[in-house]
Amino acid sequence: MCVYVVGNITVDETWAIADIPAKGSSVHGNKISQDIGGKGANQAILLSRCGINTTLIAAIGNDLNGRWIYEKIHHEPLHHAPEYLFPCNSDTSLIFNCADGDNAIITTTTAADSLSIEIITRALVRAVPGDILLLQGNFSFEKTRDLLLLGKQRGMTTVFNPSPVRAGFSQLWPWVDIAVLNQPEAEKLQPTGVSNLVITQGARGAMLINASQQQFCPATPALAVDTTGAGDTFLAVMLASALLRKTEIDALSLTHASLAAAITVSRPGTCSAFPDVAELKTLLSHRG
């Protein structure tokens, strides 16, 4: 079984600021880190660190940032496709960390937009029924719809994390097996008919809704230093927990995810804040 994460990979620049600036204002800030980021890469890295056979399908630009990304990503225990660099700028995320631990993010999609359905289809040539297709919200509605349809045609289990939200995403639920959304996204997109729905509620916790249960899991207490990547940590570890135990998403999956997210928010940065292989092995052995 393989998880194919189709999404983006970015250079994350993290800046410390006092508060989100008002429109038209200028503020002082301090660049505190540069790291690999992007929701696709984040989720793929975490899944692979959990011991899941993971392939990241993401475009890397042929620039200085791209060559830096390429070198960094190949130190992670995952497969990356396509292997070549694209003739464009690499995607970048500017992360503004506020003094209260919250953040705001600006992300480019130039490289992600260059990743065509044809290229992705070739990268999925070895996918078989029972494999997982995991998507986020960085592609257009049309590309996301076509990928979900492709996944269902190949007998794959489709997982959708519609962040950032795009127009039309609310039409995609018939082709989604597992959906993971935060509370505002769920209120906007109204996910219906999804076999397993997880609604995250930040520091409160998360709710699992499926045909047999509605289970709330409180968040693991943590001192938030930087919340960047917390949602990606939660999703990836939740999915890995269920896959490793050969079960559906359940309360223990949410508990494992919450433990991992608490580690991520307690550290600055993106990839550098994620739990490492040893930490993930330890928390995934937790049985409630």
Side-chain angles (χ1 to χ4, degrees):
M1 189 279 301
C2 180
V3 177
Y4 291 89
V5 184
V6 187
N8 68 336
I9 183 167
T10 70
V11 173
D12 278 6
E13 292 186 10
T14 302
W15 291 73
I17 59 176
D19 202 355
I20 303 300
K23 186 176 181 179
S25 66
S26 298
V27 298
H28 289 289
N30 179 39
K31 182 178 176 179
I32 55 178
S33 70
Q34 178 172 306
D35 208 346
I36 282 183
K39 294 186 69 64
N42 291 347
Q43 294 172 12
I45 287 169
L46 284 153
L47 280 160
S48 68
R49 289 184 183 181
C50 288
I52 301 298
N53 181 16
T54 306
T55 295
L56 170 64
I57 303 173
I60 301 174
N62 187 17
D63 56 5
L64 288 176
N65 278 343
R67 288 185 280 277
W68 182 83
I69 292 172
Y70 191 87
E71 176 67 23
K72 295 281 285 185
I73 197 67
H74 283 79
H75 288 288
E76 296 292 339
L78 52 74
H79 309 284
H80 170 248
E83 284 288 324
Y84 55 84
L85 300 177
F86 284 63
C88 63
N89 289 324
S90 298
D91 287 329
T92 302
S93 289
L94 298 178
I95 302 162
F96 300 99
N97 280 348
C98 301
D100 62 2
D102 211 342
N103 65 55
I105 304 173
I106 302 172
T107 300
T108 69
T109 62
T110 304
D113 292 342
S114 301
L115 194 64
S116 68
I117 289 289
E118 291 74 22
I119 294 171
I120 296 168
T121 300
R122 288 196 294 271
L124 287 170
V125 68
R126 294 184 180 178
V128 297
D131 283 346
I132 310 292
L133 177 66
L134 171 55
L135 301 174
Q136 308 81 35
N138 286 293
F139 296 143
S140 67
F141 161 73
E142 292 79 11
K143 187 188 291 188
T144 305
R145 177 200 59 205
D146 291 349
L147 287 171
L148 288 170
L149 285 168
L150 177 63
K152 297 307 291 181
Q153 290 165 2
R154 296 198 173 190
M156 303 175 78
T157 297
T158 55
V159 184
F160 187 33
N161 173 217
S163 177
V165 171
R166 290 180 183 254
F169 277 180
S170 60
Q171 303 173 39
L172 299 176
W173 303 126
W175 304 291
V176 176
D177 296 309
I178 301 170
V180 183
L181 307 85
N182 63 30
Q183 190 71 49
E185 290 163 350
E187 292 171 1
K188 185 173 184 177
L189 296 177
Q190 294 294 307
T192 55
V194 179
S195 300
N196 286 280
L197 171 63
V198 177
I199 300 176
T200 60
Q201 300 174 14
R204 288 193 62 234
M207 179 72 73
L208 168 64
I209 303 169
N210 57 32
S212 62
Q213 64 177 319
Q214 182 167 314
Q215 178 77 44
F216 179 77
C217 175
T220 301
L223 178 62
V225 173
D226 181 355
T227 60
T228 309
D232 296 329
T233 303
F234 189 96
L235 184 155
V237 176
M238 176 195 74
L239 184 59
S241 171
L243 293 174
L244 290 168
R245 293 181 292 115
K246 297 180 173 58
T247 186
E248 299 290 329
I249 304 294
D250 58 11
L252 185 54
S253 304
L254 270 61
T255 297
H256 288 156
S258 180
L259 289 167
I263 293 174
T264 293
V265 302
S266 70
R267 301 167 175 169
T270 309
C271 185
S272 59
F274 295 154
D276 61 25
V277 171
E279 289 172 320
L280 287 164
K281 182 177 181 180
T282 297
L283 73 84
L284 286 167
S285 69
H286 179 77
R287 289 295 178 263

